[in-house]
Amino acid sequence: MKFDLVITGVGGQGTVLASRIVARAAMDAGWQVRTSETIGMAQREGCVVSHVRVGENLAGALVPDGRADVLLGFELAEAVRALAKLKAGGKAIVNEDVIVPTSVSVGLSRYQVQDIREYLEKELPGVCFLRASEVAREAGNSKTANVVMLGALSTLPGLPFSPEGLLEAVLKTVPSQFREINRKAFEMGRRAMGVC
Amino acid sequence: MAVAEKMLLMGNEAIARGAVEAGVQVVTGYPGTPSSEVFGTLAHFAKEYGYYAEWSVNEKVALEVAAGAAYAGARALVTMKQVGLNVAADPLMTLAYIGVKGGLVLVVADDPGPHSSQNEQDTRKFAQFAKLPVLDPSTPQEAKDMTVAAFELSEQLGLPVILRPTTRTCHVCQDVTLGPLPLTRNECRFDKNPGWVILPGLAYKKHIWLNQKQKEISRLFSSMHFNRAEIKGKTGIITSGVSYNYVVEALEMQGWEASLLKIGTPYPLPEDLALEFLSQVERVLVVEEQEPVVEDQVIHLAWRHNLPVGVAGKHNGLVPREGELDVDKVTAILHKYFGFVGMEQAAAGNTVRRAPDLPLRTPVLCAGCPHRAVFYGFKEALKDYDPVFTGDIGCYTLGVIPPLNALDTCLCMGASVTIASGLSRVEQGRKHVAFLGDSTFFHTGVAGLINAVYNRADITLVILDNGTTAMTGHQPHPGIGRNATGDPARRIDIAGLVKGCGVDYIRQVDAYNLQEVMQAAREAVQYEGPSVVIARRECVALVKPGARYRVNTGACIECMLCVKNLGCPALSGEEKVVISEKCTGCGVCAQVCPADAIEEVSRHEV
């Protein structure tokens, strides 16, 4: 068994926590795990990428190009930036809520939302778009968008853990006062996948 | 049989765990990515396991405190990043002569890439320079095991040992098998002895001793399980640190076979083991990140022993000397050197059409960051002066990013003050303004300030006091009044310290109050001689936002000045300004607005 997951997003979206949760669920299910995350300077609103590898006889923590089974894009443009990691036929779940960088606000670059969305649809037939940040707000806290994405992930086939196992890992990882809101976010993420 | 306990640990946490398993008694450090979590974790558990932990003001101080403890027989650990070792180089070079009684382990994290550093220097070179053994872990598990081994090795050899993890060990998480915690600790007592006093006569003798030690260490390493060889034919690969993982995976992915020598101790090279390996292969490729540390030693060894083996790697341009390696890069290198087949297929699975242009996304100062207001205020106030703004190491280095473009230099910790001083000597009539953070001020900024005062440099120093060491993860420092383990501590008042350094012009301002900042800026640069402005506001990541701001669209004149000049991630819009929920309520945009169209509201009313 080998399962490679790549999570991309923007610093502050909780990619690190999400990858730790996935790793914990896989570890609790009896697998070896490795994660590698972006920590430090890039965390301040920069591009961040987390790699999660699950299985037996693992070597490095970095997912090679074209090897990821699943790509979780926490932000639309960031999903495209990491697309080369996904294997042919791999599954992608993308948060279509955009985070416009200041470079766009100050006129140094452009964010072509429609082009990017269409590109993803063409490049990845079956890509699931989710308004994870909006769902998270409905769940009661926009910061739980990462857990909404994990809920969505839990609906995919072939994961090295059960949906219950992943939820369990969420609840074990988040601070106790936020457990209920995260449980709700996770479940809303699952439900959102039913309509994509 | 009992199942060994496993935990999901980051490499840095695993090193901390290793130190606790080894019975560490004193831990010191200065934060720096990717090393910071080693000490952070140790500080967190200091009380539970009963050892001493301090964030020191800089790496030199940290090493010296740890060395003192080790002189008395304690096991001590000191943490820093590669550039931090430069600061600690002075005590390190002599400590290698003096040696230690209790185990002294330096954890020096390297940052190939680099992801969060001003250079890519290879600490293994430093180890070689200092003639000290260095361990290079490839995974968090190995990092933990090596930490335990490093303490034993240090005591066995009577020398400090360097553990040098890189980013992809430090910030990688793994299911780590834990070892038992210690039941005993070293007993400590400093025995007076002329051997602790480095005078020239002793230095000469100790240098001979240290040189002789190198062979002993190399022999010891040849039988250490961190170094191991697997023979599978005449094609050989020697690899060290995280590169080992990439080589193993590349071979497996492509179905290739090669003899493999894994080096966990890059200096000194385990020569006996390497010789045995080299005698069984026809040609060998050395795969390591950064400098050719292992490669140079292998070439040297093969040459000395007249071995008919070709050695390839960085010297013939196959393996890059800059940046990180990964499986894809290593696969291509192996393919090129050995002519392995199968690459064509591997590349085929990965065809992606050209993507539309993506927005540029660089790290920026957070929404509500007090540094933004200070940079903006100084730029505005000094518009007519063509000033030079020298920068330093910390979050505020991001002040260089547009639209602020507020920094003209950045070199190393504490250098904003000294570079400005230097410039002021040769650019008379120009205003030189240095910016640094509170932690950096304590680190090495204060020495530069003393120098500026003593030699009467005409500069303005702006201390951006956000009450923490923000960039590396909010570690405390002497200006906070709380120590590494969370206990109250005597707060060192920055203004008082600045005064004590002999500065006559000191202004303290609220970083969010633009008028105050701008007035202080004008006054400070007019003052002849060193002047200091201390701009205070807590790091926005540490405070709960109270109010927030919104745009009164009726009053907004769509000048976009707030968006274009401040670069706050909470502000966006092409014609109409929108303030997002990222707003922390600093109110700086409202002060910038010429139409009074930005107004404060409560958090819930938007």
Side-chain angles (χ1 to χ4, degrees):
Chain A
M1 209 291 296
K2 274 217 162 118
F3 176 76
D4 284 339
L5 168 71
V6 170
I7 307 176
T8 65
V10 179
Q13 283 195 299
T15 54
V16 173
L17 191 68
S19 61
R20 299 283 171 84
I21 289 169
V22 172
R24 190 153 182 188
M27 193 179 135
D28 291 347
W31 301 109
Q32 287 181 15
V33 294
R34 297 269 199 289
T35 75
S36 181
E37 291 116 358
T38 311
I39 293 171
M41 193 182 250
Q43 276 180 301
R44 323 268 161 200
E45 300 266 342
C47 312
V48 295
V49 184
S50 291
H51 304 237
V52 185
R53 315 195 74 185
V54 180
E56 298 150 313
N57 301 320
L58 299 179
L62 297 179
V63 176
D65 285 351
R67 293 280 163 160
D69 298 280
V70 178
L71 172 71
L72 284 186
F74 279 19
E75 202 277 342
L76 191 71
E78 296 313 311
V80 177
R81 240 188 275 273
L83 212 54
K85 288 283 163 205
L86 194 62
K87 71 179 183 190
K91 188 81 187 160
I93 304 175
V94 176
N95 178 9
E96 61 181 318
D97 296 313
V98 304
I99 299 176
V100 179
T102 43
S103 71
V104 173
S105 312
V106 303
L108 288 174
S109 69
R110 291 173 60 209
Y111 198 137
Q112 300 156 284
V113 177
Q114 202 48 41
D115 289 1
I116 291 172
R117 209 197 134 102
E118 279 167 18
Y119 172 81
L120 276 170
E121 278 168 348
K122 264 198 201 128
E123 213 47 45
L124 298 171
V127 59
C128 289
F129 288 105
L130 210 67
R131 307 210 63 139
S133 312
E134 210 176 285
V135 173
R137 256 189 298 276
E138 277 169 42
N141 188 338
S142 60
K143 287 194 174 148
T144 60
N146 56 350
V147 173
V148 171
M149 292 297 287
L150 292 184
L153 170 72
S154 75
T155 63
L156 299 182
L159 301 177
F161 39 73
S162 65
E164 295 76 24
L166 187 57
L167 176 59
E168 187 72 11
V170 170
L171 300 179
K172 274 199 273 188
T173 309
V174 301
S176 56
Q177 70 268 32
F178 297 121
R179 266 186 209 141
E180 275 324 297
I181 211 158
N182 278 287
R183 182 196 298 277
K184 199 170 164 194
F186 187 87
E187 273 153 16
M188 286 173 79
R190 279 182 68 76
R191 244 177 286 146
M193 282 293 278
V195 293
C196 80
Chain B
M1 198 182 88
V3 179
E5 196 191 339
K6 282 192 168 199
M7 265 177 95
L8 180 67
L9 292 181
M10 191 201 251
N12 283 342
E13 294 167 338
I15 292 168
R17 170 72 194 194
V20 177
E21 287 180 11
V24 74
Q25 289 154 291
V26 168
V27 188
T28 63
Y30 188 82
T33 309
S35 74
S36 312
E37 299 82 4
V38 177
F39 181 92
T41 309
L42 281 163
H44 183 74
F45 289 106
K47 285 175 188 162
E48 191 174 326
Y49 294 109
Y51 49 83
Y52 173 76
E54 73 165 41
W55 278 125
S56 307
V57 288
N58 66 34
E59 296 81 1
K60 171 174 148 59
V61 170
L63 177 56
E64 289 159 357
V65 170
Y71 282 1
R75 287 194 162 185
L77 183 115
V78 51
T79 77
M80 64 193 73
K81 68 184 297 184
Q82 87 279 14
V83 277
L85 189 57
N86 301 335
V87 180
D90 198 15
L92 181 75
M93 299 303 285
T94 307
L95 198 56
Y97 286 28
I98 290 276
V100 289
K101 183 176 161 195
L104 175 61
V105 177
L106 285 91
V107 179
V108 187
D110 278 1
D111 184 19
H115 297 271
S116 286
S117 304
Q118 58 270 45
N119 68 37
E120 283 194 307
Q121 74 190 47
D122 190 329
T123 293
R124 299 174 306 160
K125 278 270 183 199
F126 231 123
Q128 201 169 14
F129 183 27
K131 301 175 185 175
L132 289 174
V134 59
L135 307 176
D136 188 5
S138 56
T139 60
Q141 179 75 59
E142 197 174 48
K144 184 195 79 74
D145 297 342
M146 278 185 175
T147 308
V148 179
F151 278 105
E152 282 157 17
L153 191 67
S154 172
E155 282 173 11
Q156 185 183 346
L157 297 168
L159 280 176
V161 171
I162 299 176
L163 179 76
R164 175 259 190 185
T166 52
T167 305
R168 299 300 174 184
T169 298
C170 294
H171 289 163
V172 159
C173 290
Q174 183 185 4
D175 47 317
V176 174
T177 305
L178 306 182
L181 293 172
L183 301 171
T184 55
R185 294 261 165 81
N186 284 358
E187 281 192 22
C188 297
R189 189 189 146 75
F190 176 70
D191 297 318
K192 293 187 184 183
N193 178 326
W196 297 116
V197 185
I198 196 78
L199 292 169
L202 178 66
Y204 179 75
K205 282 185 211 149
K206 290 298 276 192
H207 195 187
I208 296 170
W209 169 83
L210 182 62
N211 283 336
Q212 284 167 346
K213 276 264 177 206
Q214 308 300 305
K215 278 214 162 33
E216 178 192 337
I217 305 168
S218 170
R219 266 197 298 276
L220 197 70
F221 279 170
S222 277
S223 56
M224 224 173 189
H225 68 280
F226 301 124
N227 301 311
R228 52 181 186 264
E230 197 185 346
I231 304 296
K232 283 185 178 174
K234 295 286 180 196
T235 300
I237 303 169
I238 299 178
T239 179
S240 177
V242 288
S243 312
Y244 168 74
N245 302 321
Y246 307 143
V247 169
V248 166
E249 189 165 353
L251 291 173
E252 191 199 293
M253 264 169 60
Q254 305 297 332
W256 297 334
E257 263 201 356
S259 292
L260 205 56
L261 175 61
K262 177 193 179 297
I263 301 287
T265 62
Y267 184 82
L269 190 74
E271 292 197 345
D272 297 345
L273 182 69
L275 260 182
E276 202 187 315
F277 185 80
L278 290 172
S279 65
Q280 294 179 76
V281 293
E282 280 167 0
R283 57 178 181 158
V284 58
L285 174 70
V286 183
V287 184
E288 59 191 320
E289 281 181 339
Q290 303 192 301
E291 292 299 297
V293 172
V294 170
E295 186 178 327
D296 284 349
Q297 292 179 88
V298 166
I299 291 169
H300 199 253
L301 189 69
W303 177 259
R304 263 171 38 219
H305 291 266
N306 254 325
L307 289 175
V309 57
V311 182
K314 295 184 193 277
H315 289 301
N316 43 352
L318 267 171
V319 182
R321 212 164 165 151
E322 311 83 13
E324 273 192 307
L325 292 177
D326 60 26
V327 187
D328 301 305
K329 285 184 197 162
V330 168
T331 306
I333 293 164
L334 297 186
H335 178 256
K336 194 167 172 194
Y337 181 62
F338 296 114
F340 287 135
V341 288
M343 273 293 283
E344 305 73 17
Q345 271 175 312
N350 188 25
T351 49
V352 183
R353 266 194 320 130
R354 212 185 106 74
D357 287 339
L358 297 174
L360 182 70
R361 200 186 298 274
T362 54
V364 293
L365 296 171
C366 301
C369 174
H371 305 329
R372 174 178 291 106
V374 179
F375 284 134
Y376 178 83
F378 266 78
K379 271 187 74 178
E380 279 295 300
L382 306 183
K383 250 188 200 157
D384 302 329
Y385 287 90
D386 181 30
V388 180
F389 286 176
T390 58
D392 221 293
I393 307 290
C395 279
Y396 42 87
T397 315
L398 296 173
V400 75
I401 298 202
L404 288 172
N405 302 310
L407 296 178
D408 301 307
T409 71
C410 174
L411 178 67
C412 64
M413 294 286 287
S416 59
V417 199
T418 39
I419 296 280
S421 301
L423 286 170
S424 74
R425 300 293 167 193
V426 292
E427 286 195 305
Q428 271 135 26
R430 203 168 187 187
K431 303 298 179 192
H432 299 95
V433 185
F435 292 84
L436 56 62
D438 38 351
S439 192
T440 309
F441 177 65
F442 286 112
H443 181 277
T444 31
V446 67
L449 181 62
I450 291 167
N451 184 67
V453 171
Y454 187 68
N455 297 300
R456 209 169 163 76
D458 185 16
I459 60 164
T460 296
L461 168 62
V462 185
I463 302 174
L464 302 159
D465 182 3
N466 64 355
T468 189
T469 317
M471 178 63 96
T472 47
H474 300 110
Q475 294 81 4
H477 61 66
I480 290 171
R482 185 168 33 81
N483 69 18
T485 49
D487 293 316
R490 172 71 183 258
R491 193 174 78 84
I492 311 295
D493 175 46
I494 292 179
L497 178 53
V498 168
K499 196 163 192 292
C501 291
V503 177
D504 293 324
Y505 181 98
I506 308 170
R507 288 291 175 277
Q508 300 191 57
V509 296
D510 173 357
Y512 285 162
N513 187 330
L514 272 184
Q515 283 310 320
E516 234 180 85
V517 169
M518 288 167 68
Q519 197 194 334
R522 283 187 214 101
E523 263 182 42
V525 298
Q526 287 304 331
Y527 183 84
E528 258 182 65
S531 54
V532 173
V533 176
I534 303 169
R536 285 222 166 90
R537 265 290 171 171
E538 250 195 315
C539 171
V540 73
L542 294 180
V543 288
K544 242 190 148 100
R548 57 176 286 192
Y549 282 75
R550 76 173 166 202
V551 180
N552 176 346
T553 43
C556 176
I557 55 168
E558 294 167 19
C559 65
M560 307 309 283
L561 284 178
C562 57
V563 175
K564 302 271 183 237
N565 291 349
L566 287 176
C568 173
L571 299 174
S572 61
E574 273 161 37
E575 283 163 14
K576 293 239 182 273
V577 182
V578 181
I579 302 182
S580 78
E581 61 180 16
K582 280 183 190 162
C583 175
T584 63
C586 75
V588 173
C589 56
Q591 296 172 60
V592 168
C593 179
D596 284 333
I598 300 178
E599 57 195 20
E600 188 178 335
V601 287
S602 86
R603 256 227 80 80
H604 311 286
E605 165 207 356
V606 180

